[in-house]
Amino acid sequence: MALTLIFTSNSSLLSKTLVNSPSSFPTLNSQSLSLLSPNPKPKLPSLRLRSSLSDDTPADGDRPTNITDEWGEKTDPEPEPLSKISESDPPQNEDEWGGGGDEVVEVGNGSAAKSEVVIEEKVDTKLTELKRGLVDTVYGTEFGFRAGSEVRAEVMEFVSQLEAANPNPAPTENLGLLDGNWVLLYTASSELLPLLATGSTPFLKVNKITQAINTSSLTILNSTTLSNPFASFSFSASASFEVRSPLRIQVEFKEGSFQPPEIKSSIDLPQEVDVFGQKVNLSPVQQTLSPLQDAVAGISRTISGQPPLKVSIPGERTKSWLVITYLDEDLRISRGDGGLFVLAREGSVLLYQ
């Protein structure tokens, strides 16, 4: 009750209490007075922390030096953290995101871009294998004329897979890739069958069939070269074209051109020919024609300077159409009203594999 009266704002009541009950107020001893000293120095208890992970007591030589606080009292140093980084592990240069400062961390679009590159590489590898398989299949078929039913079925399987994986689904919109000289590898065109049949005779051969596309002038030039032991012949057909859709072009042929024959300086007969399944040796014929070499050379010099013969192409068959179903840097597959055409770009590795 006396302690309560100390904080009472009524001074008279305090005085009365002190006078009437002097013994009720507690006597202040020296210890109590020290708390009221004008310059107190409270003694802070020393807290000693020990890691629960270790029970070892440091030796005297390992005991750290005592530290004096701002009150002049000695206290123990702060305990070390429970876990320490091993000295064998050097500090890492980490940024605020937890990643290495010099490391490039792929996130988001970076990972997606890497996946896209891997997918593109796999697609390119698959296309390369398909193209090589197609070229190997048509090799030796004389542009498809001598291809049997099994070979034709295999060719169509390769063609179907390539068309399904066409890297340029709108080839007529990529005229720069369409432009250039293309060499025919295989065809199923019925219109070319008479020409290819002529090349199967013993003394006449179809050397080359090409198609030159000029996207600047929108023109096409189809050329064919034939040869026999005495000379080589070439003729061509020129046409204009216009784009009708992302896949289709409309072609209209204008005129044909026949180059003068190039007489060979020497008569080059094959050693033998196949006539109705029988092998005929032509070595005696070659020896008989040897004296005619000089006369043949003179004819060659006379004809070589003549201009080509040009003729117009009349009729309704001058118009045709072509759908490009596959196109890349090396190979082109087209389907027209005449059939299927497989062509390789001139200079491509596909022609020399």
Side-chain angles (χ1 to χ4, degrees):
M1 178 178 179
L3 291 176
T4 304
L5 293 176
I6 293 175
F7 296 95
T8 304
S9 60
N10 194 334
S11 60
S12 62
L13 181 59
L14 177 60
S15 302
K16 184 176 178 179
T17 303
L18 292 175
V19 173
N20 294 337
S21 302
S23 61
S24 62
F25 195 82
T27 305
L28 300 177
N29 53 25
S30 60
Q31 184 177 0
S32 301
L33 291 174
S34 64
L35 296 174
L36 303 176
S37 173
N39 187 21
K41 282 189 176 181
K43 184 174 181 180
L44 301 178
S46 175
L47 299 178
R48 188 177 187 85
L49 300 179
R50 177 175 296 177
S51 172
S52 61
L53 300 178
S54 176
D55 295 335
D56 297 337
T57 303
D60 292 340
D62 298 332
R63 188 179 301 277
T65 307
N66 292 335
I67 301 174
T68 304
D69 60 13
E70 65 271 20
W71 303 104
E73 297 292 338
K74 293 183 178 181
T75 182
D76 292 334
E78 294 182 1
E80 296 182 356
L82 297 179
S83 62
K84 295 195 293 183
I85 299 177
S86 174
E87 294 180 357
S88 61
D89 297 330
Q92 298 181 355
N93 182 18
E94 296 184 352
D95 57 18
E96 64 271 22
W97 303 104
D102 296 339
E103 269 185 47
V104 178
V105 181
E106 292 186 359
V107 295
N109 293 334
S111 299
K114 185 175 181 180
S115 300
E116 290 177 0
V117 171
V118 173
I119 294 174
E120 289 179 0
E121 290 178 353
K122 290 182 179 179
V123 171
D124 291 341
T125 302
K126 179 182 178 181
L127 290 178
T128 301
E129 293 176 353
L130 290 174
K131 290 189 292 185
R132 288 177 176 175
L134 176 59
V135 173
D136 291 341
T137 302
V138 303
Y139 179 78
T141 62
E142 295 185 10
F143 308 100
F145 179 75
R146 295 188 180 276
S149 58
E150 293 183 0
V151 173
R152 290 181 180 275
E154 189 175 353
V155 168
M156 293 307 301
E157 179 64 26
F158 279 114
V159 168
S160 298
Q161 293 187 47
L162 285 168
E163 289 176 337
N166 184 13
N168 294 283
T172 59
E173 296 177 2
N174 192 351
L175 295 180
L177 196 59
L178 185 62
D179 193 273
N181 296 326
W182 300 88
V183 180
L184 182 67
L185 301 178
Y186 176 90
T187 183
S189 172
S190 58
E191 294 183 354
L192 288 180
L193 285 179
L195 174 63
L196 298 178
T198 302
S200 63
T201 59
F203 296 100
L204 190 62
K205 180 181 179 182
V206 179
N207 288 342
K208 197 174 185 181
I209 299 176
T210 62
Q211 184 176 70
I213 299 179
N214 189 330
T215 56
S216 299
S217 59
L218 297 179
T219 57
I220 294 177
L221 183 65
N222 294 337
S223 301
T224 304
T225 301
L226 306 172
S227 67
N228 61 24
F230 309 97
S232 61
F233 310 87
S234 62
F235 57 91
S236 61
S238 61
S240 61
F241 74 92
E242 59 182 24
V243 176
R244 291 294 179 89
S245 74
L247 294 174
R248 177 171 173 162
I249 60 175
Q250 190 71 28
V251 181
E252 183 177 1
F253 290 94
K254 300 293 185 181
E255 65 178 11
S257 177
F258 294 87
Q259 299 291 333
E262 295 181 5
I263 306 299
K264 296 181 179 180
S265 58
S266 62
I267 300 174
D268 187 15
L269 293 177
Q271 291 184 354
E272 60 181 17
V273 294
D274 188 357
V275 180
F276 302 109
Q278 299 294 324
K279 299 292 184 180
V280 178
N281 189 358
L282 297 181
S283 298
V285 179
Q286 177 75 40
Q287 295 175 359
T288 304
L289 296 176
S290 295
L292 300 177
Q293 298 292 333
D294 294 337
V296 171
I299 296 173
S300 175
R301 288 190 295 268
T302 303
I303 297 178
S304 61
Q306 298 298 319
L309 175 63
K310 294 183 178 182
V311 295
S312 60
I313 302 177
E316 292 295 328
R317 296 188 62 82
T318 58
K319 295 182 179 181
S320 179
W321 54 268
L322 202 64
V323 175
I324 303 169
T325 57
Y326 182 89
L327 178 66
D328 65 10
E329 294 82 0
D330 297 315
L331 189 72
R332 175 165 63 89
I333 299 175
S334 302
R335 295 179 183 267
D337 51 0
L340 174 69
F341 303 91
V342 178
L343 305 98
R345 187 182 298 276
E346 193 170 44
S348 169
V349 295
L350 295 176
L351 298 174
Y352 309 102
Q353 68 177 25

